[in-house]
Amino acid sequence: MSLKPRLVDFNSTWGAIKETITGVITLDHVPRTVWNDRFSDVYSLCVAHPEPLADRLYAETKQYLIDHVAHLLEKVQADGDHCLIKNYFHYWSQYSVGSQYLHSLYLYLNQQHIKSHKMSDAEIIYGNGEPSNSSATADQMEIGELALQVWQTNMIWPLGHRLVKLLLEAIDLDRAGKPPAIHLDAVRGTILSLVEVQAYRKKSQLQLYAELFEGPFLDASGEHFKRDAALLLQEKNVSLYMDKVKGKIDEELYRARRFLHASSLSKVTSRCEQHMVAEHLQFLYSECTNMVKYEKKKDLANMYELLKSVTDALVVLVDTVFDHIKNQGLAAIHNLQGDTLHIQFVENLLAVYKKYKELIKEVFKSDQNFMGALDKACNSVINHRPNEGRSPCRSPELLAKYCDALLKKSSKGISETEVDEKLSESIIIFKYIDDKDIFQKFYSRSLAKRLIHQQTQSMDAEEAMINRLKQACGYEFTSKLHRMFTDMSVSADLNNKFQEFTKSEEIELGINFGIYVLQAGAWPLGQAVVTPFALPQQLEKSVQMFETFYHNRFNGRKLTWLHHLCQAELKLGYLKKPYVVTVQTFQMAILLLFEKTDQLSCKEIRETLQLNSEQFKRHAVSLVDSKLLLANAEEIDETETVLRLNMDYLNKRTKFRITAAIQKEAPHEVEQTINSVEEDRKMYLQAAIVRIMKSRKVLKHNLLIQEVYAQSKVSFAPSVPLIKKCIESLIDKQYIERTPHSSEEYSYVA
């Protein structure tokens, strides 16, 4: 084969090419030598001398394809409509493959003549230049593309609507479960030919498929879905309806995968959901409440699957789930009573939370809408105020008591691992509490008692719990709790140094004496509870020596003795066997008065110890109840009752504790805690307002309230009236003032 341009006889060369392309396009046998010769002939015509004959070759080839497809059209229609799809698919299968071979045969024409004269993609997008050759050449298509366009123009358009009608009928027969007259491969092949015939296009490749077939198919399917829905609705059974619709969607998706292009799958599902779900929402909602109430998991899962794709359709189901969880939560904590109220409260709430979290995971696939409903319901239940909001919310107090019960030594029959798990789960409840500052107050008070009275089960568990609270609310929330721990370790070191001091000074105290020195600002002990008390002489020397030691080491610090929080170990040597009893300071002081006498009047005891009436009676009763002392009357009267030692006292244990006086928290202590929180809140809000105004200088009333609320909500949810009171208080204190031109705007007073 010579590559040199030469004079070529077009008619004889075209005759040979035409004969070969007939074999190629009909998939007839074409010997390799013939193929190679025709390949050379295409090249020769494209580089012919003196004038290239490429345009003439292109025109003749195009006309040949038009004539060939016209001839095929006659064959396709020859057997009537009942064979139309079968014949079309047969000839399309042959023609589409043949056109690819033809494209290869015309490789030189495609590459050097047509492509070189076409504008590049970049020129089409960015440039405004003209093609380098004539406009006719620029409009030419590569031969494979030309063959597909000829098929579209001369085969599909003449048959289009007849083909679509027959295709839809075949799909309807498949829906009805009847054997179609046409082979299903022919149906699928014919449908996909509408995509393949435009596959060469750089954009809008699905235009013909969408306009000619997909649109009518979706409309026909829509009518079919409407009819199916109407039949199913006659049953008036929501559960059955959902099962059938779900099955219908799966069936239609399977059918779409068998027959249609992948781009149609979502559209088929959407059309089915529109006519069988979206248009019948009220019917589905009619059983929603019952399904949620009786927790019918299968039905709820079906309803979720059907509603999730319909815009805003889940709202009713989510709201119903929210109401149900809220009602179950309120029922779980309603009318709880007894000494284990706090344990029942927390564990019942956790049971509700776990149950519905698992249900949402299983039924609603952990959908965020339903997780949000669970959070909202838990928040509502945990922050519920009984008696229509008139009573305070007890959740912070009960949760703090629950943690206290787990962390105390008295929690028997439960392993450290279980304690750790339960404390970890309690954070779930804690996160939903609005008044976290109230929890902090109760928790710090119970922690203080555990540390002071050495009732902590495990210091590791205590620290782990504080770290959990810190992760939930930040360091500021737990800073005082950390300082309490620091004080305990500092006090241990201080005791060691005090003992070294007494040894070096050769001071004999006569008793084992240990103290805790606690920061007043970190510990929730308060000065208001300090009671008058005359220290027993057995303790006077120890107390005086420690004060001397401490003031020598630290100048300017004031020590306040909280005797009501102290405890002592007494050895009882007057009975048949010795006992060691752990008592509070006031109990110890009462018992020490009996060292030189067997009986004393209540009046004498009170006057000697200078105890107030409440404290005396409380501790005297505890000693009588424990039978260490006997009274000459059932009711203790501070003026007439006489107490005497019980010389016949017996106890199986030789070491025991008398704790009756400190076991139960007095109601007024709870009230005091709540009141102290209110005062703390006012200070917190005032500090927040000053902080904001100092940085902003001038701020409108509503914006100031919003910023204060945003800063406070980590610890508590302040009411607007409380914020307003704090603003007024700061105006009175001249920290801020109203601006001259507006009463609704404040400025910072530097």
Side-chain angles (χ1 to χ4, degrees):
M1 167 182 165
S2 173
L3 298 177
K4 187 177 178 181
R6 58 190 174 83
L7 192 65
V8 181
D9 180 355
F10 181 82
N11 289 331
S12 63
T13 305
W14 166 244
I17 291 173
K18 184 178 178 181
E19 185 179 340
T20 301
I21 62 176
T22 300
V24 170
I25 203 74
T26 57
L27 302 184
D28 201 359
H29 177 65
V30 177
R32 179 167 291 279
T33 53
V34 173
W35 174 274
N36 291 338
D37 289 345
R38 295 301 82 76
F39 196 88
S40 299
D41 288 343
V42 169
Y43 170 78
S44 298
L45 290 174
C46 289
V47 298
H49 181 78
E51 188 71 33
L53 299 171
D55 288 342
R56 189 174 173 189
L57 172 62
Y58 181 87
E60 290 292 346
T61 304
K62 181 177 181 180
Q63 189 57 51
Y64 171 82
L65 290 171
I66 291 170
D67 293 341
H68 177 68
V69 171
H71 175 64
L72 292 181
L73 178 62
E74 291 176 5
K75 287 186 173 185
V76 167
Q77 300 180 93
D79 299 323
D81 281 1
H82 70 281
C83 288
L84 192 68
I85 290 176
K86 178 186 171 186
N87 290 345
Y88 172 90
F89 178 64
H90 170 72
Y91 288 112
W92 161 252
S93 301
Q94 183 188 81
Y95 182 84
S96 61
V97 176
S99 64
Q100 292 171 27
Y101 290 137
L102 189 63
H103 184 77
S104 300
L105 184 64
Y106 278 74
L107 182 64
Y108 188 81
L109 178 71
N110 291 332
Q111 295 288 342
Q112 302 302 321
H113 180 69
I114 297 172
K115 267 194 175 180
S116 63
H117 294 110
K118 289 174 86 171
M119 287 192 290
S120 68
D121 291 345
E123 287 173 324
I124 293 169
I125 296 169
Y126 301 112
N128 55 3
E130 293 297 323
S132 59
N133 209 320
S134 68
S135 60
T137 305
D139 289 340
Q140 288 177 354
M141 305 171 73
E142 293 177 46
I143 297 303
E145 297 171 0
L146 175 66
L148 294 175
Q149 190 201 45
V150 168
W151 181 272
Q152 178 183 328
T153 306
N154 298 281
M155 176 68 77
I156 292 177
W157 284 125
L159 294 178
H161 295 296
R162 287 165 64 197
L163 274 178
V164 169
K165 181 173 177 289
L166 292 167
L167 289 169
L168 295 180
E169 286 174 0
I171 291 172
D172 273 343
L173 285 173
D174 186 67
R175 277 195 181 114
K178 298 175 184 176
I182 312 153
H183 198 277
L184 295 180
D185 286 344
V187 174
R188 175 180 172 78
T190 301
I191 293 169
L192 292 183
S193 74
L194 305 178
V195 177
E196 292 162 7
V197 82
Q198 289 192 331
Y200 64 88
R201 296 172 67 165
K202 287 185 173 61
K203 56 182 182 178
S204 305
Q205 293 175 333
L206 300 176
Q207 184 180 354
L208 176 66
Y209 168 77
E211 290 175 358
L212 185 62
F213 173 76
E214 188 183 56
F217 168 76
L218 291 174
D219 290 340
S221 297
E223 292 303 316
H224 170 75
F225 299 146
K226 285 180 184 177
R227 288 193 300 272
D228 266 18
L231 287 171
L232 290 172
L233 286 168
Q234 291 175 6
E235 299 283 338
K236 296 183 180 178
N237 184 322
V238 176
S239 180
L240 178 65
Y241 181 83
M242 290 192 302
D243 268 339
K244 296 284 186 184
V245 170
K246 204 160 169 286
K248 185 69 179 174
I249 292 172
D250 292 342
E251 179 191 319
E252 286 297 322
L253 267 177
Y254 174 69
R255 184 171 292 108
R257 287 190 187 95
R258 283 166 61 210
F259 293 127
L260 311 184
H261 186 261
S263 64
S264 297
L265 301 185
S266 60
K267 296 175 187 176
V268 171
T269 305
S270 178
R271 192 62 71 98
C272 188
E273 288 168 347
Q274 173 63 30
H275 296 303
M276 302 193 84
V277 180
E279 292 175 4
H280 304 289
L281 287 178
Q282 293 310 313
F283 173 69
L284 294 173
Y285 292 155
S286 65
E287 279 296 310
C288 186
T289 304
N290 275 338
M291 288 177 184
V292 173
K293 181 180 178 182
Y294 296 109
E295 297 173 12
K296 299 178 179 177
K297 292 183 179 180
K298 184 186 174 187
D299 287 340
L300 288 172
N302 285 345
M303 186 173 283
Y304 169 70
E305 286 295 324
L306 294 177
L307 297 181
K308 70 177 180 181
S309 302
V310 179
T311 307
D312 296 331
L314 278 176
V315 173
V316 171
L317 181 56
V318 170
D319 288 346
T320 308
V321 169
F322 161 74
D323 289 335
H324 179 67
I325 298 173
K326 180 182 173 182
N327 292 335
Q328 292 296 304
L330 291 173
I333 60 173
H334 183 63
N335 283 342
L336 295 179
Q337 293 175 344
D339 293 337
T340 59
L341 167 63
H342 50 287
I343 297 172
Q344 295 173 59
F345 177 84
V346 174
E347 294 188 348
N348 287 4
L349 281 179
L350 283 171
V352 170
Y353 174 83
K354 289 178 188 173
K355 175 184 176 182
Y356 288 104
K357 186 180 181 182
E358 190 59 35
L359 184 140
I360 289 168
K361 181 181 177 183
E362 180 186 344
V363 175
F364 304 122
K365 314 300 181 207
S366 296
D367 186 295
Q368 285 306 304
N369 291 300
F370 292 94
M371 292 305 293
L374 173 63
D375 288 341
K376 188 179 168 187
C378 289
N379 190 283
S380 180
V381 171
I382 290 168
N383 296 295
H384 176 69
R385 294 174 181 269
N387 302 325
E388 299 178 357
R390 289 192 291 271
S391 301
C393 173
R394 293 196 63 196
S395 300
E397 175 195 348
L398 295 174
L399 181 61
K401 286 183 177 177
Y402 177 76
C403 295
D404 181 51
L406 290 171
L407 290 164
K408 266 173 136 175
K409 278 183 179 175
S410 57
S411 57
K412 294 175 183 175
I414 180 168
S415 68
E416 281 188 29
T417 306
E418 287 176 299
V419 167
D420 192 62
E421 284 175 6
K422 286 177 180 288
L423 288 171
S424 182
E425 288 176 348
S426 70
I427 295 296
I428 295 169
I429 306 296
F430 172 74
K431 286 179 179 177
Y432 288 114
I433 289 175
D434 284 342
D435 299 327
K436 290 183 172 64
D437 55 341
I438 295 179
F439 169 85
Q440 185 204 39
K441 279 284 182 189
F442 279 104
Y443 187 86
S444 61
R445 286 178 72 244
S446 60
L447 173 61
K449 287 183 179 180
R450 289 196 300 276
L451 293 176
I452 290 169
H453 297 303
Q454 298 175 359
Q455 291 181 320
T456 292
Q457 180 95 331
S458 160
M459 292 300 278
D460 289 340
E462 293 280 6
E463 287 196 64
M465 185 62 189
I466 291 172
N467 287 332
R468 292 188 188 102
L469 294 173
K470 184 167 71 175
Q471 286 174 0
C473 281
Y475 176 76
E476 187 183 349
F477 186 83
T478 57
S479 60
K480 288 186 177 180
L481 305 180
H482 282 294
R483 280 160 62 194
M484 289 163 72
F485 269 86
T486 304
D487 283 353
M488 296 305 288
S489 58
V490 169
S491 293
D493 183 54
L494 205 57
N495 275 312
N496 291 333
K497 287 178 179 173
F498 178 58
Q499 287 174 11
E500 289 171 9
F501 166 75
T502 56
K503 282 180 183 176
S504 65
E505 296 291 324
E506 296 183 353
I507 298 166
E508 185 61 49
L509 297 178
I511 60 171
N512 290 328
F513 182 75
I515 49 79
Y516 295 127
V517 178
L518 313 175
Q519 301 174 64
W523 291 73
L525 306 175
Q527 300 300 314
V529 292
V530 175
T531 58
F533 175 58
L535 203 64
Q537 67 182 66
Q538 293 92 332
L539 289 177
E540 282 180 358
K541 184 178 179 182
S542 300
V543 170
Q544 286 170 4
M545 291 311 304
F546 182 79
E547 285 184 345
T548 303
F549 159 77
Y550 190 79
H551 290 309
N552 286 340
R553 294 180 65 87
F554 304 102
N555 289 325
R557 291 191 184 180
K558 182 186 175 185
L559 288 177
T560 302
W561 292 88
L562 301 178
H563 297 297
H564 66 289
L565 294 176
C566 301
Q567 62 182 22
E569 275 192 357
L570 286 178
K571 287 184 179 179
L572 306 182
Y574 61 90
L575 297 167
K576 292 177 182 177
K577 60 179 178 178
Y579 293 98
V580 176
V581 56
T582 303
V583 289
Q584 279 189 278
T585 311
F586 300 150
Q587 294 168 329
M588 172 198 70
I590 293 170
L591 289 172
L592 286 175
L593 293 177
F594 287 88
E595 271 204 307
K596 295 178 181 177
T597 182
D598 291 347
Q599 68 175 36
L600 286 167
S601 69
C602 288
K603 185 178 179 182
E604 287 177 290
I605 296 171
R606 265 204 66 196
E607 287 173 354
T608 305
L609 299 179
Q610 297 177 17
L611 283 173
N612 63 35
S613 176
E614 181 194 348
Q615 290 286 1
F616 169 74
K617 193 166 184 179
R618 184 180 177 192
H619 292 89
V621 167
S622 69
L623 290 171
V624 171
D625 287 346
S626 67
K627 295 188 169 50
L628 281 175
L629 295 180
L630 299 174
N632 63 352
E634 285 188 16
E635 287 289 326
I636 291 180
D637 184 280
E638 294 175 24
T639 56
E640 296 180 5
T641 305
V642 175
L643 301 177
R644 69 178 189 277
L645 282 176
N646 181 5
M647 306 305 287
D648 299 321
Y649 180 82
L650 282 173
N651 195 324
K652 290 179 182 177
R653 298 169 65 183
T654 57
K655 191 172 183 178
F656 57 92
R657 178 190 294 266
I658 298 175
T659 55
I662 61 166
Q663 280 298 319
K664 291 188 179 179
E665 193 168 43
H668 71 85
E669 290 181 339
V670 175
E671 192 177 332
Q672 283 174 3
T673 304
I674 300 293
N675 291 338
S676 70
V677 169
E678 289 298 320
E679 291 305 312
D680 288 350
R681 285 183 177 182
K682 288 175 186 175
M683 298 304 294
Y684 182 95
L685 291 174
Q686 288 181 26
I689 293 165
V690 171
R691 208 164 42 239
I692 292 164
M693 291 304 302
K694 190 174 182 179
S695 79
R696 303 292 290 275
K697 304 302 180 192
V698 177
L699 202 59
K700 288 194 177 294
H701 175 79
N702 288 340
L703 288 173
L704 177 58
I705 285 181
Q706 286 172 19
E707 289 206 29
V708 171
Y709 187 87
Q711 285 193 18
S712 308
K713 66 181 181 182
V714 177
S715 295
F716 65 99
S719 64
V720 174
L722 181 59
I723 299 175
K724 286 181 177 177
K725 278 184 184 177
C726 292
I727 292 171
E728 293 298 330
S729 176
L730 290 171
I731 291 172
D732 293 340
K733 293 174 184 175
Q734 298 184 346
Y735 282 95
I736 60 175
E737 64 184 7
R738 290 186 173 87
T739 56
H741 56 274
S742 173
S743 62
E744 290 294 304
E745 190 174 62
Y746 308 107
S747 63
Y748 177 68
V749 179

